[in-house]
Amino acid sequence: MDSKYQCVKLNDGHFMPVLGFGTYAPAEVPKSKALEATKLAIEAGFRHIDSAHLYNNEEQVGLAIRSKIADGSVKREDIFYTSKLWSNSHRPELVRPALERSLKNLQLDYVDLYLIHFPVSVKAMEKCKDAGLAKSIGVSNFNHRLLEMILNKPGLKYKPVCNQVECHPYFNQRKLLDFCKSKDIVLVAYSALGSHREEKWVDPNSPVLLEDPVLCALAKKHKRTPALIALRYQLQRGVVVLAKSYNEQRIRQNMQVFEFQLTPEDMKTIDGLNRNVRYLTLDIFAGPPNYPFSDEY
Ligand code: A2P
């Protein structure tokens, strides 16, 4: 298989492409951009597409996928599509209807992966997998304590296949990554490029990842860009990485992640950048016992 379609095998036997296309954009960005960018991403070679009910763009992303299937560029089984259950549908009887609503918006028969977007229970998710509506189920924004809670649940039928969390050189999640690896759970990185600076929930005083002098120097050394260094870093440490861009040139650029390699010394240098900068704190959820970001990892 072409290296750009490189996949990781999940603990339930399904395969996930190691580079994903992130589709989230702030509310002010017209939804039509999601359609356009997702088509461009598929044309550029992305086969893993990440969205969520919360992003309010599944209609457009689904249309993009279906149009690339209709024009013969890809088959449904070539695409790995992730959706996520939002917190207003956590009651068990609301889970399947929520997934069915996403599928209806997408006009697809199944999703490849359905994630619990923010920590809650798992039973009703397992039923979605059994019903064939989701090939795999996983979680997002779980810390190791919440993961342990799920893994130790009596009668657990399916382990989550992945945990999608913020992960980049300033917040490299080393401990959570080691924990996930020890449980055969793939860590999927979001905000891998340091998140959307224009978002109100990102502290404007936080350091700008892609301007980091060390990443810039490595970019120069490899004749790439700081973004590519940040993406490549994740692949080489066994993390599946999401790259969001709505810009054609940068969508294409991000596929170059398969065209070069960092040395073990480069990797160590990037490890040294870790500085506990979490861009997405989701403070509005702080307080309830399941708020995931108070623990060390
Ligand atoms: P744009 O959509 O204009 O390309 P994250 O995934 O960490 O949330 O970061 C996404 C942000 O990084 C987006 O705002 C995106 O902007 C930008 N981005 C994506 N790819 C690149 C790249 N190769 N170089 C610089 N910025 C990028």
Side-chain angles (χ1 to χ4, degrees), residues 62-125:
L63 186 54
I65 294 172
R66 284 182 293 108
S67 78
K68 295 318 291 175
I69 294 173
D71 75 8
S73 308
V74 287
K75 298 204 255 323
R76 173 64 187 91
E77 57 270 31
D78 299 330
I79 298 286
F80 186 99
Y81 177 78
T82 302
S83 183
K84 308 187 193 85
L85 174 78
W86 186 234
S87 310
N88 57 0
S89 304
H90 277 165
R91 289 209 334 259
E93 66 275 20
L94 298 181
V95 171
R96 180 168 171 161
L99 173 52
E100 284 170 339
R101 211 171 320 124
S102 276
L103 289 170
K104 187 156 180 261
N105 287 335
L106 292 156
Q107 294 284 304
L108 296 178
D109 299 331
Y110 66 89
V111 300
D112 295 274
L113 177 62
Y114 201 39
L115 301 185
I116 301 177
H117 207 147
F118 210 70
V120 276
S121 77
V122 78
K123 196 98 229 113
M125 296 286 286

Side-chain angles (χ1 to χ4, degrees), residues 191-196 210 227 242 244-247 250 253-254:
S191 292
L193 301 174
S195 202
H196 312 260
L210 298 185
L242 301 176
K244 177 265 161 182
S245 174
Y246 276 12
N247 170 282
R250 288 188 287 276
Q253 178 196 122
N254 292 342

Side-chain angles (χ1 to χ4, degrees), residues 174 218 229 232-238 262-273:
R174 185 71 253 173
L218 285 169
I229 302 294
R232 182 72 209 175
Y233 169 65
Q234 302 296 0
L235 295 189
Q236 288 189 214
R237 61 207 288 264
L262 296 167
T263 65
E265 293 73 42
D266 296 336
M267 290 297 290
K268 229 178 271 160
T269 305
I270 304 171
D271 280 337
L273 296 178

Side-chain angles (χ1 to χ4, degrees), residues 24-29 195-206 278-284:
Y24 173 79
E28 4 5 309
V29 178
S195 202
H196 312 260
R197 304 294 310 178
E198 71 277 20
E199 279 288 3
K200 45 194 171 304
W201 32 259
V202 172
D203 175 0
N205 299 317
S206 56
R278 192 192 277 281
Y279 291 108
L280 181 59
T281 55
L282 300 174
D283 293 343
I284 45 165

